[in-house]
Amino acid sequence: MSLRLGFFRGVSYFTGLLLLVGSPVASHSQLRTTIGQCPLDIPAALRSQTQLGCPHPLDGSTAHHPVDWSPWTHAPECLRAEKSAATKYCVFTNSQHGDGGVSIITTPETAANSVEILNDSGYTHTKSFISNNGAGAAYEVVDIPGKGKGVIATRRISRAEPIMADWAALVVDLNFPTSVKRAQGYRLLHIAVDQLSEPDRVLLLARNNVFSADIVEDVLRTNAFSFALAGETHMALYPKVARVNHACRPNAFIRFTPSSLAVSVVALKDIEPGEEISITYVPMGKTREERRAGLSKWGFNCTCSLCTGSKAEIAASDYRREKIKELRQEVMKAVEAWDGTKAVKLTHEILELMRAEDLAPLYASQYEIMARLYWKARDTNTATKYAQKSIATLVDLGYLEDSPETLPALLRTFDG
């Protein structure tokens, strides 16, 4: 597996659906609302009964007894940043959260502002496994020649069916590695892992980063995703998901929820028994050379069918993908020129090219663009139709739950 920082693997939706679907990197204001940054002076009687409260920032000098550092199960261990003595990075652990506990290395302020994330049980991602009518596990981890470990389907998996759920075991502020002395940073990483109830979930993962000088650093750089905590970018490590290999035309995707440390892997299409389950490590819609460039920084050479086809097949695929990018730019120019007819025509062409390239997850953003164009032209009926198509695509693929509140929520963003 490779470090997936800086993008939501697979899909980057238009503004409205980004708010509805969620992304591992949301805006600061989104995270304040979603995670529930503590407002000041709210009367206790008005607070949610399930709220953990509004703790002050904790560090090694302020947490002396277990009651002081709750809901963390260990006293925070801290380091001062080299270039800013006022900045501290501490490890905050709850060894009972999720599947084997979680350790978060971040600033005391970020930990305090995001503590409610521990309230989330991950039910959005686990509910289908609680009531799966005895279907049993849909996958197993096996050795795959040339790839190390991988995940294989043990039974038929239907499109949009959740395959696995997982919880972050390590979450590390992206600025931490470059803000502290290397040896001290490694010590804090080791504490973070040792305080988990199952350290081997982290230590036994794949390691292939040539720039790492420590086992935990190597595991993180090889397997971590980008994740936002209280608006700050972090690395998040999901041990089960880390076993899923890459394909440029994947048969599954990862569903994130910004307010949760849980994720799930969901089938993008029907998967047969014995078939390898795959996700994409690079954004969908890229040409072969763009995909290779994105993967090569970790010494990864993709051998999926899309990358190893005949020269004519690869050239035809790359042509369609380049054409999609060009037409998207033309759509934006048409919108700026108030030429709605041209913008709609070009968007239809983009959809046809996406269908030819089997880029189903990207249909939703194009339908939403159509909806916004018609909405801007005050044709609200047609706009609503395309908004419904966008939502239906995401529901059909398993990105969204079917809810009567989704359409009104999306339409409200059109007036912003």
Side-chain angles (χ1 to χ4, degrees):
M1 295 284 284
S2 304
L3 181 64
R4 290 73 118 186
L5 291 177
F7 52 81
F8 178 27
R9 278 195 308 197
V11 187
S12 176
Y13 294 113
F14 218 61
T15 306
L17 286 174
L18 190 63
L19 295 176
L20 295 173
V21 178
S23 156
V25 184
S27 70
H28 193 144
S29 59
Q30 263 183 272
L31 266 292
R32 281 174 180 262
T33 301
T34 306
I35 295 178
Q37 186 177 43
C38 294
L40 299 177
D41 301 324
I42 289 183
L46 299 182
R47 296 178 189 165
S48 166
Q49 290 184 353
T50 60
Q51 196 170 342
L52 287 173
C54 293
H56 296 291
L58 297 177
D59 59 32
S61 64
T62 58
H64 304 290
H65 308 286
V67 68
D68 297 330
W69 61 72
S70 176
W72 311 110
T73 55
H74 297 70
E77 292 265 355
C78 303
L79 290 175
R80 289 194 182 275
E82 274 197 287
K83 296 180 181 179
S84 174
T87 302
K88 284 185 178 180
Y89 290 97
C90 307
V91 55
F92 300 91
T93 301
N94 185 309
S95 60
Q96 304 305 311
H97 184 77
D99 185 9
V102 62
S103 286
I104 302 174
I105 297 180
T106 192
T107 64
E109 294 77 17
T110 297
N113 288 340
S114 57
V115 70
E116 274 196 23
I117 204 168
L118 296 178
N119 263 353
D120 185 272
S121 66
Y123 182 70
T124 298
H125 301 279
T126 61
K127 61 184 177 182
S128 60
F129 302 103
I130 296 172
S131 57
N132 69 350
N133 298 318
Y139 70 93
E140 63 178 342
V141 178
V142 300
D143 291 318
I144 297 180
K147 295 184 179 182
K149 298 290 184 182
V151 179
I152 299 293
T154 56
R155 58 171 174 79
R156 191 176 190 278
I157 303 170
S158 300
R159 184 178 64 175
E161 180 183 345
I163 300 168
M164 69 169 68
D166 199 8
W167 285 261
L170 282 183
V171 180
V172 180
D173 190 301
L174 194 60
N175 292 320
F176 168 73
T178 57
S179 299
V180 300
K181 291 182 178 179
R182 175 174 282 196
Q184 293 179 339
Y186 290 159
R187 184 182 71 84
L188 214 61
L189 286 173
H190 296 170
I191 291 171
V193 173
D194 283 338
Q195 290 180 169
L196 299 173
S197 61
E198 296 181 42
D200 281 349
R201 294 181 71 237
V202 171
L203 297 174
L204 296 181
L205 291 175
R207 306 184 297 275
N208 61 12
N209 187 275
V210 296
F211 301 106
S212 299
D214 176 80
I215 182 172
V216 182
E217 179 189 26
D218 199 342
V219 167
L220 277 169
R221 289 185 178 275
T222 303
N223 299 283
F225 291 84
S226 180
F227 183 77
L229 200 58
E232 303 297 330
T233 306
H234 289 63
M235 297 177 279
L237 177 69
Y238 302 91
K240 290 181 184 177
V241 177
R243 297 299 190 186
V244 184
N245 287 318
H246 163 86
C248 296
R249 277 189 177 141
N251 55 20
F253 68 93
I254 300 175
R255 180 193 288 158
F256 291 90
T257 307
S259 59
S260 178
L261 291 171
V263 298
S264 49
V265 175
V266 182
L268 191 55
K269 56 188 73 174
D270 292 341
I271 302 173
E272 299 302 325
E275 186 178 347
E276 184 177 6
I277 296 166
S278 59
I279 52 182
T280 179
Y281 295 0
V282 295
M284 295 186 80
K286 300 292 186 182
T287 64
R288 184 174 72 159
E289 289 309 310
E290 288 171 335
R291 298 192 303 272
R292 282 185 168 180
L295 296 168
S296 65
K297 63 187 71 174
W298 304 288
F300 184 86
N301 185 27
C302 184
T303 58
C304 75
S305 59
L306 188 61
C307 290
T308 56
S310 69
K311 287 187 176 181
E313 290 172 336
I314 292 170
S317 173
D318 285 352
Y319 176 83
R320 288 189 289 265
R321 289 165 183 248
E322 289 286 2
K323 196 70 175 177
I324 289 170
K325 286 189 285 187
E326 292 172 9
L327 291 177
R328 279 179 155 175
Q329 292 175 353
E330 290 301 315
V331 167
M332 293 301 105
K333 290 178 183 178
V335 170
E336 290 170 2
W338 293 87
D339 190 345
T341 301
K342 182 179 180 180
V344 169
K345 179 178 179 294
L346 292 172
T347 300
H348 277 297
E349 291 182 32
I350 292 170
L351 283 168
E352 288 303 314
L353 289 167
M354 285 182 172
R355 291 188 184 100
E357 279 300 291
D358 194 20
L359 296 173
L362 302 186
Y363 298 171
S365 61
Q366 292 307 128
Y367 286 137
E368 187 185 343
I369 290 171
M370 297 278 280
R372 289 177 180 274
L373 290 171
Y374 279 109
W375 191 270
K376 196 169 187 178
R378 302 188 185 281
D379 184 349
T380 56
N381 288 334
T382 306
T384 300
K385 181 185 77 171
Y386 278 105
Q388 289 171 327
K389 279 178 172 265
S390 181
I391 292 168
T393 299
L394 292 174
V395 170
D396 184 52
L397 293 172
Y399 281 89
L400 273 183
E401 302 263 333
D402 194 4
S403 167
E405 300 300 320
T406 305
L407 179 61
L410 177 58
L411 293 178
R412 282 194 294 273
T413 70
F414 288 4
D415 290 320

